[in-house]
Amino acid sequence: MPLRITTWNVNGIRNPFSYQPWRDKRTFAAMFDILEADIVVFQETKIQRKDLRDDMVLVPGWDCYWSLPRHKKGYSGVVIYTRQAVCSPIRAEEGITGVLCPPSSSTSFSELPEDSQIGGYPTSIQVAEFGNSAIDFATLDSEGRCVILEFPAFVLIGVYSPANRDETRDDFRLGFLNVLDARVRNLVAMGKRVFLTGDLNISKEALDTANAEGAMRRSGMTEIEYFSTPSRRLFNHLLENGTVYGERDEGREKPLMWDICRGFHPIRKGMFTCWEQKVNARPGNFGARIDYVLCSLDMKEWFMDSNIQEGLLGSDHCPVYATMKDTIILDGKEIYVKDVMNPEGVFCDGKRIREHSVKDVLPLSGKLIPEFDRRQNIRDMFTRKPTLSKEPSTIPEIFSVENQQKVVSSQPIAGTDSPTNSFSSGTTLSPTKTTIIIPSPKAVSSSKSILSASTPSTVTKRSLPEKSTNRPLKRAKSGSTASPAVTSNKGQRSLKGFFKPKAASNIDNVNAQGTATTEVPDPQATLLPAAEITEKPVLSPVCDQSPKMHALPELCTPPWDKSSGSTVCKSTEPSPGVSQRRGVAEQEDVHDPIESKESWSKLFSKPIAPRCEGHGEPCIALITKKSGMNCGRSFWMCSRPLGPTGAKEKNTQWRCQTFIWCSDWNAGDA
């Protein structure tokens, strides 16, 4: 059965599940089945180790090998999935330089014994030849851009090359490509075959870029200058039939890799793998081919098919695959590809001899990450009952849950004021005369010695007290006046309060010459049973004896009525002038609900979009991000996708030339 290798820049590992056909099942196993792949290389996973989940790592029947960014969050990242029923690597490394260390080890990959390392690491002489583009190796491998797996048949390099964003990253980008080129050449020099795949962020030739001639004119470059840019020239040195102007660089005299997809489609136009999402360029196929599947020249005859899968959505890139034949010619012999894609003794003549076991799992495997190591299937959580180990309790038995309602009465606990009481066996505690004393946590340790020294006594259960319907009123503290809580209406409780008039302030109800009559209970009054209380006194906020009202002594200094034993505040009705002012204030605070609704609708509703000149369809609003005087300004433009030419067109189905600044558009004039 053929073996397929697929590479895909997913632009976020969960991003594809928002699109069809991945949306239905939303599992990685189902995704791999749709891709019909046996090895899947994802770039730009944009995830950190703390965000890894079971469905990403513990995929049934699959193993995974991760390279995650060390510092930047939501950036870069590469992972390779391998189907255990078809292939299993014999070695795995993270990074392109070899300076990183295996999990749970302080020895770098490049310093491991020769039988434990993949090899081909850049030498000091090669690094010196890099010149100004030489970057610290630890920095190059800190962004999670490469995973390398070795099979008996070849070495698989899954890579995400830095993009050409701005000049500040040019040295980093060129340094990474130099190290990648040196690693591939060193591996081939060792006699190993190499399969290089991933997002290299380089278009090899004009056929791989939409409107390359227009890009040359805009940048003021000739064709020779276009193909002689450092990254493109370096890449073409590595490829067979790569366009290299002038003499080849020293040490790169011979090409080593074959472009598999272009080899099967040598003159195909528009075979792009990446499109700009901001301008909706994918429907018009205005893009570039920057995702590759490459192999050593001695592997050219191993492949039977290669293509792009532009119909599969889920990212700004599309998957690219290469399919290997079921049988290949290796060292002059025809063998099954599965025999050389697994450790020795797993397959023989294309048939499995032994099953995949724990011994075949490599240290870099995602299944050995401490958070996922030896994890059980989630179904076992509902079928198996966990065995709880019984440990001796360090809390004395008297304070256990079972004995919370038992009372030990041998000797009084030190530090308490209760008198010494001795209860004989069978004595029932009275609920109205007995107080249960619970010692503080600090007294627990001291109580252990007391309990051990004391003689054992009979323990009886405390009877529950009967619920009383007439609870006595709590006696107020002497010297203070009891004042019930006053409900505050400050703040907007709900959205309805915005459309209702404001409540009149309590201070408006008080005349400047008098206050409301209110009775306050005598602080020294005797406690009355609950049955004799007929009415609960209510205080006015004005007569509250709190410190906040001390600024109004004439309002809050009531006379003392000795006959009734209460404080009496005498008041009169509010004056007509106060009532009139209060009525005017209420009218000013009333909001018209219809007018308020219209105001909110105007605030949150989308502005009316103008219609484009070419198609009469509503335009879309975008924001200028190009540096300059117009940076940050919004504008309207045609909503249709960009055409194959990349320019705005007239009288076509693609984007027309409509352009309107949002500040210049007035919907009322339309």
Side-chain angles (χ1 to χ4, degrees), residues 7-10 43 198-204 207-210 259 261-262 268-277 282 285-293 306-312 315-321:
T7 178
W8 191 11
N9 183 322
V10 291
Q43 303 93 43
D199 178 7
L200 299 180
N201 272 308
I202 302 173
S203 55
K204 186 182 72 170
L207 192 62
D208 296 322
T209 304
D259 188 351
C261 196
R262 180 57 73 186
R268 178 179 171 183
K269 296 182 179 180
M271 192 171 63
F272 305 138
T273 63
C274 179
W275 303 267
E276 182 65 43
Q277 286 184 322
R282 188 164 187 170
N285 197 26
F286 184 78
R289 188 172 78 97
I290 59 178
D291 302 88
Y292 297 89
V293 282
S306 180
N307 207 338
I308 66 173
Q309 296 176 288
E310 68 274 20
L312 293 178
S315 172
D316 56 342
H317 294 245
C318 74
V320 183
Y321 70 87

Side-chain angles (χ1 to χ4, degrees), residues 265-517:
H265 311 276
I267 60 174
R268 178 179 171 183
K269 296 182 179 180
M271 192 171 63
F272 305 138
T273 63
C274 179
W275 303 267
E276 182 65 43
Q277 286 184 322
K278 295 180 181 178
V279 296
N280 195 17
R282 188 164 187 170
N285 197 26
F286 184 78
R289 188 172 78 97
I290 59 178
D291 302 88
Y292 297 89
V293 282
L294 314 174
C295 70
S296 300
L297 297 179
D298 54 355
M299 296 174 59
K300 292 174 63 174
E301 302 299 329
W302 290 15
F303 295 90
M304 57 182 293
D305 185 26
S306 180
N307 207 338
I308 66 173
Q309 296 176 288
E310 68 274 20
L312 293 178
L313 304 179
S315 172
D316 56 342
H317 294 245
C318 74
V320 183
Y321 70 87
T323 305
M324 300 179 65
K325 299 177 182 178
D326 189 19
T327 58
I328 59 176
I329 303 298
L330 182 62
D331 298 332
K333 298 180 181 179
E334 184 178 2
I335 60 174
Y336 287 90
V337 68
K338 292 181 180 179
D339 294 353
V340 291
M341 291 298 293
N342 290 274
E344 186 178 359
V346 177
F347 275 86
C348 182
D349 297 333
K351 297 181 180 179
R352 179 177 288 275
I353 299 177
R354 66 176 179 87
E355 295 296 328
H356 188 273
S357 63
V358 180
K359 298 185 298 181
D360 300 322
V361 180
L362 300 178
L364 194 63
S365 171
K367 294 185 176 181
L368 296 184
I369 297 176
E371 296 92 314
F372 304 96
D373 187 15
R374 299 180 182 179
R375 290 279 297 274
Q376 295 182 354
N377 193 305
I378 193 171
R379 295 180 181 177
D380 296 339
M381 299 172 58
F382 302 98
T383 57
R384 299 180 183 177
K385 295 182 179 180
T387 57
L388 301 177
S389 58
K390 296 183 179 180
E391 298 180 357
S393 176
T394 57
I395 304 176
E397 185 179 359
I398 186 173
F399 304 116
S400 63
V401 177
E402 299 177 356
N403 298 327
Q404 282 184 357
Q405 294 183 355
K406 295 182 180 180
V407 179
V408 178
S409 58
S410 58
Q411 292 183 2
I413 299 177
T416 61
D417 297 332
S418 60
T420 304
N421 295 321
S422 298
F423 299 98
S424 59
S425 177
T427 304
T428 304
L429 301 179
S430 174
T432 59
K433 298 181 180 181
T434 304
T435 303
I436 305 301
I437 300 174
I438 300 177
S440 62
K442 295 182 179 179
V444 173
S445 58
S446 61
S447 64
K448 292 182 181 179
S449 58
I450 297 175
L451 293 175
S452 59
S454 61
T455 58
S457 61
T458 305
V459 179
T460 59
K461 290 187 178 181
R462 182 184 63 181
S463 59
L464 296 176
E466 297 180 358
K467 295 183 179 179
S468 175
T469 56
N470 298 329
R471 298 179 61 183
L473 188 64
K474 186 176 180 180
R475 181 186 298 274
K477 294 182 180 179
S478 60
S480 62
T481 304
S483 60
V486 180
T487 305
S488 176
N489 293 328
K490 294 183 179 180
Q492 181 175 319
R493 298 296 183 88
S494 64
L495 189 60
K496 294 181 179 180
F498 179 80
F499 303 101
K500 293 181 179 180
K502 294 183 179 179
S505 176
N506 291 329
I507 198 67
D508 294 339
N509 296 329
V510 182
N511 193 349
Q513 299 178 358
T515 59
T517 303

